Amino acid sequence: SLLNARSVLVRNRNFWCTIEKHGSASCFGTDQVRSKLEPTVAMDSPTASQCSFPDLRDVFPGCSSYEDLYNLSIKETDLFWGTLARMSLRWNRDFEHVSNCNMESGLFRWFLGGKLNVSVNCVDRHKEKDPDRVALIWEKDEPGQEERITYGQLYTMMNQVANVLKTHGVKKGDRVAIYMPACPLAVASMLACARIGAVHSVVFAGFSAEALASRINDAEATVVITADQGVRGGKLIELKKTVVAAVGNCPSVKAIFVAKRTGSLVVSSTLDVDLDEAMAKESGECEPAVMDSEDLLFMLYTSGSTGNPKGVVHSQAGYLLYASLTQRLVFDCKEGDIFGCVADIGWITGHSYVVYGPLANGVTTVLFESTPTYPDPGRYWETVQRLKINQFYAAPTAIRLLLKHGDEHVEKYDLGSLRTLGSVGEPINVEAWQWYNKVVGKEKCVVVDTWWQTETGGICISPRPSAPDAEIHPGMPMRPMYGIWPVIVGEKGEELKGNDVTGALCLKKPWPGMARTIYGAHSRFLETYYQPFRGFYFTGDGAIRHKNGYYQITGRMDDVINVTGHRLGTAEVENALGQHPSVAESAVVGYPCNDKGEGIYAYVTLKDGFLAGVKMETELRGIVRQKIAAYAVPDVIQICAGLPKTRSGKIMRRILRKVAADQTENLGDISTLADPAVVKDLIANHQTIK
Ligand code: WTA
């Protein structure tokens, strides 16, 4: 009936809502019931959502189940997202159209004409209601030294950083690089950018100076925010030194803001600004910039199958809505909950589920600075007990590692606060899933394997939302999120209908959290995601749709590999190796590795006059560490006489993958190789992986 009605007036616990067909809806408090025709969202005057966690079945009458809501989200997309956007976000100005998207041309616009400020949504509205509510718990490297930051304190910090940026000339649209691990000032810095309309580019604080420099240069960032040093697993990380080494090659950078973490003396540069001192001079109030829904919020570099990492761009309103909605629905996160996502803020999981999603929902979010095994493999669980974490979100690589250390490290602790256990970043094998469910969750928690990507902005496939008793199968994300329409595409680009099919995972319908472009490279954006299969967003992953309609991810279909939950392009490693003077050619592939998900196997041919040996391998590893980061260093380097190539000169990676995986009995057709003898040499010198 909802779908046929032109407009309905709906009442739920806390507000009234008019929903009109084709996407317009207005919400207003029960004490303000006026004519339903009266506009309820005044232009240029902020509106506040009256209710942060409504049950969607109350919001959309006629929908009594997940299936109903899902069908509505697919059939009446604008109505669905328009209603939720008005209800969950505070707008300075209402939007005129919910969406204008085209999967063929790759142009996506959501909440057109709307104006808002993301930092107001993440901080101000919660601070107004309850300034003493804890926003952040900084779980520092040493256990038991956590610091709590309330919404009131976060408001002041964020505004002070925003004012510091303004004082140093940072303007709306300028790019700000942030090179910091998870800590309150990193969050305040991200929000400060949002406050003044600057675009942040957080660079994972494990990247090398060269990798940082290339990201700063691509974005033409005008300032960098960092800390003197980082502390992780009892070790010091030279953040400031790395930044100084990087900005030597970054002409766009005008200032380096340095926050104090350890207080140690570090390399100083003429660009240095002591962030703590500069903040102390600034006011704790900063007028929020009024941003268009589609202005850039941030960019985040991620690996692709070719070329340099690309700066995936997310915009304001759609991203925030999608991150916050998925955070509360997938994890069943309620007001007052303590949400513990242990990802680093340098990755998308940290952006959406440490910072933006939880803060937009006004919950308490944990900033985890340490490692899963510091000071011992009970660290996560001791932290859960001490902080009373309700939802815990981690990567399968960490879960597999902890499983190996034994149950005693978990059983020591009271994990009774936990309700949801999440997994992200790579497929979670059934054994690890079972251990997570039984040993950590005591079979009382909902375990959600969540599939998504930097480009999707938030979780797209996950067992929840669904009915509280809906079945969950180990090792697969199962069900599409509202608004997400997954399709499986065959080799010829045809959509494979029905169940029990395997192919390329694509998404058929736009959703608000989707990436808008690659910074400075829109044609690369189109080529990568929208041209492989016309009319679909191509994820780069393969998937199976099982007979019951559930989705299971089979892994990347391109030359991107997944190492300890980090996405890495094999081409990036090859580029780094190629910069060593000895290297003639290299080919890098992933191989299945129990602990890390995938291991990195590099085949290298040397120029004449260079000798293979331990010294050479050490140098090659060193150059990868120097050009990218420690996690990108190959586990195996096989120096070989030649690479298997077709007559047209294309490297046959299929063969290299099989040799790396020790599956040489069935190499398939090698008759098209220019020199089949190469394969014998590869097998003879194959290094078995420890
Ligand atoms: C992989 C991380 C299987 C996938 C949020 C994807 C997964 C890439 C899962 C994105 C999962 C992520 N099951 N594979 N639950 N989650 N992936 O951009 O290959 O760092 O394309 O985003 O990780 O990695 P990214």
Side-chain angles (χ1 to χ4, degrees):
S1 63
L2 173 68
L3 299 185
N4 295 327
R6 207 192 68 79
S7 154
V8 282
L9 180 65
V10 187
R11 188 193 166 169
N12 84 4
R13 280 191 289 278
N14 299 305
F15 62 93
W16 287 83
C17 196
T18 63
I19 300 182
E20 297 194 15
K21 205 174 171 196
H22 304 306
S24 80
S26 314
C27 301
F28 41 99
T30 43
D31 56 343
Q32 299 171 298
V33 177
R34 289 168 285 183
S35 156
K36 74 184 174 89
L37 298 173
E38 192 178 322
T40 54
V41 184
M43 300 285 263
D44 293 316
S45 81
T47 62
S49 70
Q50 302 295 316
C51 154
S52 30
F53 298 102
D55 185 325
L56 292 198
R57 287 169 305 181
D58 291 339
V59 178
F60 299 105
C63 290
S64 57
S65 64
Y66 163 80
E67 285 73 22
D68 290 345
L69 285 165
Y70 178 75
N71 288 336
L72 179 77
S73 74
I74 295 296
K75 288 185 192 142
E76 295 289 333
T77 308
D78 279 5
L79 182 149
F80 184 82
W81 290 117
T83 307
L84 292 174
R86 287 194 172 98
M87 213 177 65
S88 348
L89 301 180
R90 178 185 287 187
W91 294 87
N92 289 80
R93 179 170 158 207
D94 191 20
F95 46 89
E96 285 144 28
H97 301 284
V98 175
S99 69
N100 180 8
C101 298
N102 188 323
M103 294 293 261
E104 304 248 325
S105 66
L107 186 81
F108 306 106
R109 298 279 176 269
W110 285 87
F111 312 117
L112 291 88
K115 303 269 185 203
L116 79 172
N117 183 284
V118 165
S119 78
V120 167
N121 276 280
C122 290
V123 184
D124 300 33
R125 45 180 191 157
H126 313 306
K127 173 231 160 204
E128 286 160 15
K129 223 161 110 184
D130 183 3
D132 298 327
R133 182 188 297 174
V134 176
L136 314 174
I137 305 181
W138 183 16
E139 174 61 14
K140 291 187 186 173
D141 197 41
E142 288 303 325
Q145 298 196 346
E146 72 273 12
E147 283 182 26
R148 290 178 165 75
I149 311 286
T150 65
Y151 275 95
Q153 291 166 325
L154 180 59
Y155 176 84
T156 305
M157 271 172 97
M158 160 186 83
N159 286 335
Q160 285 175 326
V161 179
N163 287 327
V164 169
L165 293 175
K166 274 169 108 173
T167 301
H168 284 83
V170 177
K171 296 181 301 300
K172 191 167 169 172
D174 286 352
R175 276 79 54 215
V176 172
I178 300 177
Y179 187 73
M180 284 172 129
C183 62
L185 258 182
V187 176
S189 300
M190 292 164 77
L191 294 166
C193 291
R195 188 111 191 140
I196 64 171
V199 179
H200 63 70
S201 165
V202 181
V203 179
F204 171 58
F207 277 118
S208 68
E210 290 194 30
L212 172 62
S214 76
R215 285 159 176 78
I216 292 174
N217 286 335
D218 184 72
E220 294 179 288
T222 57
V223 300
V224 185
I225 308 179
T226 189
D228 47 8
Q229 290 177 312
V231 190
R232 195 159 182 264
K235 296 196 189 94
L236 295 176
I237 303 161
E238 298 297 346
L239 300 174
K240 173 66 195 319
K241 260 191 202 156
T242 308
V243 171
V244 171
V247 298
N249 298 314
C250 303
S252 58
V253 174
K254 305 285 178 284
I256 305 171
F257 299 103
V258 190
K260 200 180 273 119
R261 172 64 181 92
T262 61
S264 72
L265 280 177
V266 282
V267 185
S268 63
S269 119
T270 48
L271 302 176
D272 281 6
V273 178
D274 182 314
L275 184 57
D276 304 85
E277 276 176 23
M279 283 168 67
K281 290 187 205 137
E282 298 287 352
S283 149
E285 295 292 334
C286 175
E287 188 63 23
V290 176
M291 304 300 288
D292 189 90
S293 296
E294 280 301 336
D295 282 334
L296 269 57
L297 176 62
F298 68 84
M299 64 175 88
L300 185 58
Y301 286 85
T302 192
S303 297
S305 49
T306 54
N308 295 329
K310 41 197 184 203
V312 171
V313 169
H314 284 285
S315 57
Q316 315 265 330
Y319 169 79
L320 191 65
L321 176 65
Y322 197 72
S324 58
L325 190 79
T326 48
Q327 195 264 334
R328 62 185 190 242
L329 296 182
V330 170
F331 295 95
D332 181 32
C333 191
K334 300 186 168 58
E335 226 160 358
D337 278 353
I338 297 180
F339 188 76
C341 168
V342 290
D344 191 280
I345 55 155
W347 310 112
I348 191 68
T349 309
H351 282 58
S352 301
Y353 300 111
V354 176
V355 182
Y356 288 112
L359 294 180
N361 289 327
V363 301
T364 299
T365 183
V366 174
L367 309 174
F368 187 75
E369 189 182 52
S370 196
T371 76
T373 51
Y374 184 77
D376 63 53
R379 176 56 187 270
Y380 278 165
W381 322 121
E382 187 272 328
T383 304
V384 167
Q385 171 183 283
R386 182 164 31 84
L387 304 184
K388 299 195 172 46
I389 289 174
N390 302 112
Q391 293 87 5
F392 183 78
Y393 197 22
T397 181
I399 298 162
R400 284 193 299 268
L401 176 74
L402 298 179
L403 174 159
K404 279 211 322 209
H405 282 285
D407 301 358
E408 64 274 18
H409 294 289
V410 191
E411 282 160 1
K412 274 200 258 182
Y413 301 104
D414 174 4
L415 305 182
S417 58
L418 287 172
R419 294 204 313 271
T420 312
L421 296 173
S423 159
V424 61
E426 55 180 311
I428 178 164
N429 49 313
V430 173
E431 188 197 0
W433 191 99
Q434 300 283 19
W435 184 82
Y436 206 22
N437 182 36
K438 284 199 182 122
V439 180
V440 179
K442 319 287 183 237
E443 298 192 63
K444 287 187 185 137
C445 291
V446 176
V447 180
V448 287
D449 172 7
T450 62
W451 175 88
W452 60 295
Q453 309 178 293
T454 304
E455 296 85 342
T456 69
I459 295 164
C460 289
I461 309 182
S462 144
R464 296 283 190 271
S466 57
D469 55 353
E471 61 174 357
I472 296 187
H473 292 198
M476 59 170 92
M478 302 178 73
R479 303 182 178 91
M481 173 67 197
Y482 299 132
I484 298 296
W485 187 348
V487 289
I488 304 285
V489 177
E491 273 172 19
K492 296 186 196 95
E494 76 288 14
E495 184 178 338
L496 302 176
K497 300 270 170 72
N499 292 338
D500 249 339
V501 287
T502 304
L505 177 66
C506 293
L507 304 178
K508 192 168 171 169
K509 224 178 182 351
W511 65 103
M514 68 200 307
R516 301 299 193 260
T517 189
I518 293 173
Y519 190 76
H522 194 65
S523 55
R524 190 170 168 207
F525 176 73
L526 300 177
E527 272 162 34
T528 312
Y529 305 111
Y530 293 96
Q531 283 162 8
F533 302 109
R534 222 179 140 69
F536 299 140
Y537 163 77
F538 174 46
T539 65
D541 282 319
I544 306 171
R545 184 165 53 231
H546 284 285
K547 57 179 175 303
N548 38 23
Y550 299 145
Y551 291 89
Q552 181 175 9
I553 310 299
T554 52
R556 296 290 305 193
M557 300 181 78
D558 51 15
D559 291 320
V560 171
I561 56 179
N562 204 317
V563 185
T564 57
H566 299 326
R567 202 166 138 175
L568 180 69
T570 51
E572 283 171 67
V573 184
E574 289 162 12
N575 288 343
L577 289 169
Q579 291 176 56
H580 191 278
S582 70
V583 172
E585 214 175 8
S586 70
V588 173
V589 296
Y591 66 88
C593 168
N594 279 347
D595 294 344
K596 296 179 17 164
E598 279 181 285
I600 309 172
Y601 199 117
Y603 298 88
V604 177
T605 62
L606 298 181
K607 289 181 190 154
D608 287 348
F610 288 93
L611 285 180
V614 177
K615 186 167 170 282
M616 176 61 72
E617 287 185 27
T618 310
E619 281 186 29
L620 294 176
R621 288 197 165 89
I623 201 154
V624 177
R625 188 175 293 111
Q626 180 200 334
K627 301 280 168 195
I628 313 175
Y631 77 86
V633 171
D635 300 272
V636 182
I637 296 182
Q638 179 171 345
I639 294 178
C640 42
L643 296 173
K645 290 190 185 167
T646 60
R647 286 187 197 99
S648 60
K650 199 167 164 347
I651 296 173
M652 286 184 81
R653 288 169 179 277
R654 174 177 60 80
I655 293 174
L656 296 175
R657 279 192 210 106
K658 290 230 162 166
V659 174
D662 222 353
Q663 295 170 350
T664 46
E665 54 300 331
N666 177 19
L667 285 180
D669 181 15
I670 58 168
S671 62
T672 53
L673 284 178
D675 178 10
V678 163
V679 177
K680 259 201 197 144
D681 167 71
L682 286 177
I683 297 174
N685 294 305
H686 163 59
Q687 299 187 23
T688 313
I689 297 120
K690 295 140 224 132

